[in-house]
Amino acid sequence: MELIEFAEKRGEEAAKFSLATLELARARAHNLLVLLLGGAGSLAALALAQENTHPRLTVFAVTVALCWFGLAAWLAVRGLRTSPVRTWAGEGKRILRKGAEWQRYVDDVVAEGGLPQDALLLLRKQELELMADASEEYRAASTQCATALDHAYVFAALTPYPALLLVGVYQLLG
């Protein structure tokens, strides 16, 4: 196996892995977003239903609901916004569309003393650069999404504490 073939194979594997990681992170973020919005909506409904009979429960439920609505908005902005990513296969498609231009390029390489294989090797190297760029973009987007998820999990786990604090304040003032 030639070095270029090895690099192409590994580059494609890296691009596929990076894209799959991005898709997984986005799917997890979407699931958490749905859970936060559903939970916040349910808590808001509970708060409205118990407003007159259980005021402390209402304060608790409204506080958690507001925290979760805010967290859902934060997750949507930080983890689920569209990221600029590209495909890792680009030059080949353009060449197929512009075959005559590519053939002129090969003819120019040959006229300058090169071989047609030199032009093909150059194309393959360009494709490798596109694969590497795409992999980096996928990884950057998945890291941004995963970081937002990490923070969302922690903040969601902490939401009972401000709610309990507000219930305590309500109890003291009420």
Side-chain angles (χ1 to χ4, degrees):
M1 176 184 289
E2 288 184 36
L3 180 61
I4 189 80
E5 290 170 345
F6 177 77
E8 288 169 337
K9 184 176 188 289
R10 299 301 292 178
E12 186 173 343
E13 288 172 3
K16 285 180 180 178
F17 173 80
S18 298
L19 178 58
T21 302
L22 174 59
E23 291 171 342
L24 177 62
R26 292 276 170 90
R28 288 177 56 208
H30 280 110
N31 290 339
L32 181 58
L33 182 66
V34 168
L35 183 66
L36 287 169
L37 290 172
S42 297
L43 283 168
L46 174 68
L48 287 174
Q50 300 296 321
E51 180 181 10
N52 293 326
T53 56
H54 297 92
R56 287 184 300 240
L57 176 61
T58 300
V59 170
F60 183 86
V62 166
T63 303
V64 173
L66 290 175
C67 287
W68 285 359
F69 277 131
L71 189 54
W74 182 83
L75 180 61
V77 169
R78 297 292 301 219
L80 292 171
R81 301 279 306 265
T82 301
S83 301
V85 295
R86 72 183 86 199
T87 180
W88 63 81
E91 293 299 319
K93 187 175 182 180
R94 277 189 274 196
I95 288 168
L96 289 176
R97 282 194 311 229
K98 300 178 181 183
E101 290 178 27
W102 176 250
Q103 189 57 53
R104 278 195 298 277
Y105 175 72
V106 172
D107 293 342
D108 289 346
V109 168
V110 171
E112 292 173 6
L115 299 172
Q117 295 88 342
D118 296 335
L120 181 59
L121 183 61
L122 177 62
L123 172 67
R124 291 170 81 179
K125 287 179 179 179
Q126 289 171 345
E127 286 286 319
L128 280 171
E129 288 178 26
L130 285 174
M131 274 191 258
D133 291 345
S135 290
E136 288 174 18
E137 290 169 0
Y138 296 149
R139 282 191 299 275
S142 64
T143 298
Q144 180 178 342
C145 184
T147 300
L149 267 170
D150 289 346
H151 291 123
Y153 290 142
V154 170
F155 294 141
L158 294 174
T159 54
Y161 297 107
L164 288 171
L165 179 66
L166 284 177
V167 168
V169 169
Y170 176 80
Q171 187 72 23
L172 288 174
L173 297 175

